Amino acid sequence: MKTGVGRRRFIATAAATGVLVAGTARGEDAPSAATPTPDVIWRLTSSFPKSLDLMFGGAETFARVVGDLTGGRFRIDVLAPGDAVSGLQALDAVQAGTVEACHTSMDYFYGKDPTFALATAIPFGLNARGQAAYAYEGGGNDLFNEFLGGYGVLAFPAGNTGAQMGGFFRKPVKSVADLQGLKIRIGGLAGKVLQQLGAIPQATPRADLYTALDQGTIDAATWVSPYDDDRLASDEKTALQKVAPNYYYPGWWRGGSVIHVAFNKAKYEALPAPFRAALKAAAMTANTEMLARYDARNPAALKRLVVSGAQLRAFPQDVLEAAFKTTNDVLHDIADGNPHFKAVLDSTVNFRSEEYLWWQVGEYTFDNFMIRQRAKG
Amino acid sequence: MKTGVGRRRFIATAAATGVLVAGTARGEDAPSAATPTPDVIWRLTSSFPKSLDLMFGGAETFARVVGDLTGGRFRIDVLAPGDAVSGLQALDAVQAGTVEACHTSMDYFYGKDPTFALATAIPFGLNARGQAAYAYEGGGNDLFNEFLGGYGVLAFPAGNTGAQMGGFFRKPVKSVADLQGLKIRIGGLAGKVLQQLGAIPQATPRADLYTALDQGTIDAATWVSPYDDDRLASDEKTALQKVAPNYYYPGWWRGGSVIHVAFNKAKYEALPAPFRAALKAAAMTANTEMLARYDARNPAALKRLVVSGAQLRAFPQDVLEAAFKTTNDVLHDIADGNPHFKAVLDSTVNFRSEEYLWWQVGEYTFDNFMIRQRAKG
């Protein structure tokens, strides 16, 4: 990409597209100040509460890197949910231009179109590395952006949690029969799958999970990964393992959960090329860093959870197989009536099949040996 | 990081540290040209031949992103091995300031100090995600840079191949006994381990591998991953599977092989902050992108290799176990006489143990189920 940003064109562009700060016509030859006055200020609303600190931190990393890369000329102000709009209004706000950007989980917008959910994770979808390979090198992000174009929005991956856990259950799940009538805090596509298997998905707020599990109003609650699950326990009244000690894995509905930064497309396209490059590189930094943070912090968190009462249990094979079959049915049903969904799903599933062809040879056998050696001490 | 780059300071800095291009005092208010004149030009020498196109491409990505991020003001010219210095002279050239940067595999400098090898991969080391987590969030890259400081060099991860293959063998390896006298093209720490197990490591050049295997001058040759192994077959006189069809996995000596960009530290530190930020973000982009490229291309390459005669074989369990035990002996022997090596090794091994604690629960069980479902069709 050839880029050249003359000062005049730059200011004209900034005025047209973002917040042009008064007094930016300062002389370039002036001595450098500690913090230069930004030429452009964008607002980015996060859909994640600050208590999910690695997710919220992804937006902070993103904003910091954009600032570093532009010498402070492009400032992104990170807003928590509620500062400007709620977490679930993030995409509408970007589309309307109320804010220029958001950092969000696209599956929150499942109700607009289930295609959004495909960009985050589908049950039994790609693992985190597969998602990066698909997004960057398998055409996945371009395909998703074709769909997002209809909303006037453009997005890049900017975070991944890795494989999530299956959550906390009051009683062990010994077979598919145990899902009958199970009230479980879960949403989206996984909720649809579990519903078809007899469970009753719930939308219990975080603050109520402990009491609901304690009193048996619900039977199970999914949250995120060991790191976030353990953070719940920082307040003893949200330590779910105390009231629902059966702690399940794998979180088959999120083998790797992508978090995106999304931009108002018109505002993005009108930015000078180096600022667009800064957004892209900062998104990639946030994407890689968040996964590294989960990977680095999950082990100690898992140990703490077990020490404080969580009993690790694997979902039984028949539950996984029934869920896999039902997932395929649910996905195909949606695809039948939604060409966007079908296009993204087919592409994802094809990539997944290819990826695991290689994975089972190179990566899996290496991990398999390492895990067995570790178990031997 | 607060950054402010006044034009005057910037030019002074550029003059002190890089190549200051004549005529950079062009007016900032001049209309933007298609390609601006760079303020700084660096030369980066790659240690990888262009035939390893994903590795060499990592340097090209790195240079392109730095250019994009700086609007063309910071240009990095990528040199192939031999253009300025050979691949193995890359680090010396950076240390001496002959070139400002290199893109290399640190284990090439094992002869200077075996600590270099730890930054790339050790046998039975971290997988690619573990390496990213360790480098970025486990203190790994900072620790390595403490060591590199002694060479006046600073480095960031800027590429990863993922798990490599075990290479091509003329005859099947059925047990440790079959390693006796086995002439195998392999180097570094893995060569030391195999030597202790009775094999005879060879340094056969790429161009001679086919003939050497065909004539039995050597018995086996390791290369990279399916993608690169298959690229060898683009010329039928380097299609190793034709003369050594037993194609082994996993490549236990490289569960994930890190490639670095390294900079002359004084030149790096004297750069304006946004240029330093550009180097860092571009390195992360190259790091994530290269792994995504291998992950996206390995499946089709593996299929092509098998179609053209490669017979996939897993290393027997007793070979892996003997290699694991010998690896520990070799590593501890080196650590006994080298405190740098010991510090990095202990830190890496500790991180590995923690990482697999979590991996065996969350990631591995997810992959395990997906691989089994795939096998069922």
Side-chain angles (χ1 to χ4, degrees):
Chain A
M1 207 187 332
K2 303 292 185 195
T3 60
V5 185
R7 187 76 183 161
R8 242 177 246 138
R9 197 191 90 191
F10 176 80
I11 290 179
T13 305
T17 60
V19 177
L20 181 62
V21 176
T24 47
R26 76 195 188 291
E28 277 294 312
D29 283 350
S32 117
T35 308
T37 311
D39 295 315
V40 178
I41 299 175
W42 270 18
R43 298 199 306 166
L44 177 150
T45 187
S46 169
S47 290
F48 309 109
K50 288 186 178 177
S51 57
L52 289 169
D53 63 333
L54 296 191
M55 292 191 206
F56 188 81
E60 293 177 315
T61 292
F62 174 76
R64 177 180 51 74
V65 173
V66 170
D68 289 348
L69 289 170
T70 60
R73 287 179 169 188
F74 185 4
R75 194 180 87 196
I76 294 182
D77 292 336
V78 176
L79 308 178
D83 288 351
V85 296
S86 75
L88 297 178
Q89 290 169 322
L91 195 81
D92 287 344
V94 172
Q95 186 177 359
T98 315
V99 297
E100 288 81 10
C102 67
H103 189 240
T104 194
S105 185
M106 286 291 172
D107 67 346
Y108 292 171
F109 314 110
Y110 178 89
K112 290 181 188 292
D113 187 318
T115 309
F116 281 101
L118 298 177
T120 303
I122 54 172
F124 304 102
L126 291 157
N127 63 21
R129 249 175 75 179
Q131 282 173 318
Y134 175 61
Y136 297 129
E137 296 292 323
N141 200 52
D142 289 343
L143 189 61
F144 183 54
N145 275 326
E146 281 177 30
F147 164 74
L148 282 184
Y151 295 81
V153 169
L154 178 82
F156 297 120
N160 199 306
T161 64
Q164 296 191 3
M165 290 294 287
F168 300 94
F169 289 66
R170 281 164 55 95
K171 292 180 191 161
V173 175
K174 291 184 176 149
S175 73
V176 176
D178 288 341
L179 299 177
Q180 285 301 317
L182 185 94
K183 284 181 250 166
I184 177 169
R185 184 260 178 209
I186 198 165
L189 284 166
K192 275 195 179 295
V193 170
L194 283 167
Q195 193 165 25
Q196 294 220 5
L197 292 168
I200 308 165
Q202 308 286 314
T204 319
R206 172 183 183 280
D208 301 340
L209 287 174
Y210 183 93
T211 305
L213 284 168
D214 191 27
Q215 298 179 350
T217 318
I218 63 173
D219 304 300
T222 65
W223 195 241
V224 190
S225 67
Y227 177 78
D228 291 313
D229 292 355
D230 177 59
R231 290 259 302 170
L232 285 178
S234 62
D235 174 353
E236 73 176 38
K237 273 303 179 197
T238 57
L240 305 190
Q241 71 272 26
K242 303 287 187 189
V243 285
N246 302 284
Y247 189 39
Y248 274 88
Y249 65 89
W252 46 265
W253 47 89
R254 289 183 186 271
S257 196
V258 181
I259 287 160
H260 285 83
V261 280
F263 312 121
N264 181 290
K265 201 175 174 183
K267 296 195 184 225
Y268 172 85
E269 287 176 349
L271 285 172
F275 283 15
R276 293 200 303 273
L279 293 175
K280 198 168 177 180
M284 198 174 245
T285 297
N287 197 32
T288 301
E289 182 189 270
M290 192 189 294
L291 183 60
R293 287 182 170 182
Y294 274 103
D295 284 345
R297 287 162 177 74
N298 276 333
L302 186 62
K303 282 197 267 193
R304 284 192 298 270
L305 282 160
V306 168
V307 165
S308 65
Q311 295 163 30
L312 277 171
R313 293 186 192 276
F315 282 118
Q317 190 67 14
D318 81 309
V319 168
L320 291 176
E321 287 184 5
F324 184 74
K325 187 182 172 305
T326 304
T327 293
N328 289 337
D329 293 344
V330 166
L331 293 173
H332 290 139
D333 280 355
I334 301 170
D336 281 346
N338 184 328
H340 282 307
F341 188 92
K342 182 170 167 41
V344 178
L345 178 67
D346 288 352
S347 158
T348 304
V349 167
N350 181 57
F351 194 90
R352 180 184 68 182
S353 174
E354 292 290 298
E355 194 59 27
Y356 274 114
L357 168 80
W358 153 240
W359 201 268
Q360 71 183 318
V361 174
E363 299 286 343
Y364 181 81
T365 60
F366 183 82
D367 289 336
N368 176 285
F369 181 79
M370 294 308 297
I371 287 166
R372 281 198 279 175
Q373 290 308 117
R374 191 186 176 284
K376 286 183 190 172
Chain B
M1 206 187 333
K2 302 292 184 197
T3 61
V5 187
R7 185 79 183 159
R8 241 177 246 138
R9 196 192 89 191
F10 177 79
I11 291 178
T13 305
T17 60
V19 177
L20 180 63
V21 177
T24 47
R26 76 194 189 290
E28 277 294 311
D29 282 350
S32 119
T35 308
T37 311
D39 294 316
V40 177
I41 300 176
W42 270 19
R43 298 197 306 165
L44 177 152
T45 188
S46 169
S47 290
F48 309 109
K50 288 186 177 176
S51 58
L52 289 169
D53 63 334
L54 296 191
M55 292 191 206
F56 188 81
E60 293 177 315
T61 292
F62 174 75
R64 177 180 51 73
V65 172
V66 170
D68 289 349
L69 288 170
T70 60
R73 287 179 169 188
F74 186 3
R75 194 178 89 195
I76 294 181
D77 292 335
V78 176
L79 308 177
D83 288 352
V85 295
S86 75
L88 297 179
Q89 290 170 321
L91 196 81
D92 286 344
V94 171
Q95 187 177 358
T98 316
V99 298
E100 289 79 11
C102 68
H103 189 239
T104 193
S105 185
M106 287 290 171
D107 66 347
Y108 292 172
F109 313 111
Y110 178 89
K112 289 181 190 292
D113 187 318
T115 309
F116 281 101
L118 298 176
T120 303
I122 54 172
F124 304 103
L126 291 158
N127 63 22
R129 249 175 75 181
Q131 283 174 316
Y134 175 60
Y136 297 128
E137 296 292 323
N141 201 53
D142 289 343
L143 190 60
F144 183 53
N145 275 327
E146 280 178 32
F147 164 74
L148 281 184
Y151 296 81
V153 170
L154 179 83
F156 297 121
N160 199 307
T161 64
Q164 297 190 3
M165 290 293 288
F168 301 94
F169 290 66
R170 280 164 56 93
K171 292 181 190 160
V173 175
K174 291 183 177 152
S175 73
V176 176
D178 288 340
L179 298 177
Q180 284 301 316
L182 185 93
K183 284 181 251 166
I184 177 168
R185 185 262 178 206
I186 196 165
L189 284 166
K192 274 194 180 298
V193 170
L194 283 166
Q195 192 165 24
Q196 294 220 5
L197 292 168
I200 307 164
Q202 308 286 313
T204 318
R206 173 183 183 279
D208 300 339
L209 288 174
Y210 183 94
T211 305
L213 284 168
D214 191 28
Q215 299 180 349
T217 318
I218 64 173
D219 304 300
T222 63
W223 195 241
V224 190
S225 67
Y227 177 78
D228 292 314
D229 292 356
D230 178 60
R231 291 259 302 170
L232 285 178
S234 62
D235 174 353
E236 74 175 37
K237 273 304 181 196
T238 57
L240 305 189
Q241 71 273 24
K242 303 288 187 188
V243 285
N246 302 284
Y247 189 39
Y248 272 88
Y249 65 89
W252 47 264
W253 47 87
R254 290 183 186 270
S257 196
V258 181
I259 287 159
H260 285 82
V261 279
F263 313 120
N264 181 290
K265 200 174 174 183
K267 295 193 185 228
Y268 172 85
E269 286 176 350
L271 286 172
F275 283 14
R276 292 200 304 271
L279 293 175
K280 199 169 178 180
M284 199 174 244
T285 298
N287 197 32
T288 302
E289 181 189 270
M290 192 189 295
L291 184 61
R293 287 182 170 182
Y294 273 104
D295 284 345
R297 287 161 177 74
N298 275 333
L302 186 62
K303 282 198 266 193
R304 283 192 299 269
L305 282 160
V306 169
V307 166
S308 65
Q311 295 163 31
L312 277 171
R313 293 187 192 277
F315 281 119
Q317 189 68 15
D318 82 309
V319 169
L320 291 176
E321 287 183 5
F324 184 75
K325 185 181 173 307
T326 304
T327 293
N328 289 337
D329 294 344
V330 167
L331 294 174
H332 289 139
D333 280 354
I334 301 170
D336 281 346
N338 184 328
H340 283 307
F341 188 92
K342 181 169 167 42
V344 179
L345 178 67
D346 288 352
S347 158
T348 304
V349 167
N350 181 57
F351 194 90
R352 179 184 69 183
S353 174
E354 292 291 296
E355 194 58 29
Y356 275 114
L357 168 80
W358 153 241
W359 201 268
Q360 70 185 319
V361 174
E363 299 286 343
Y364 181 79
T365 60
F366 183 82
D367 289 336
N368 176 285
F369 181 78
M370 294 307 298
I371 286 166
R372 282 198 277 176
Q373 290 308 117
R374 190 185 177 285
K376 286 184 191 171

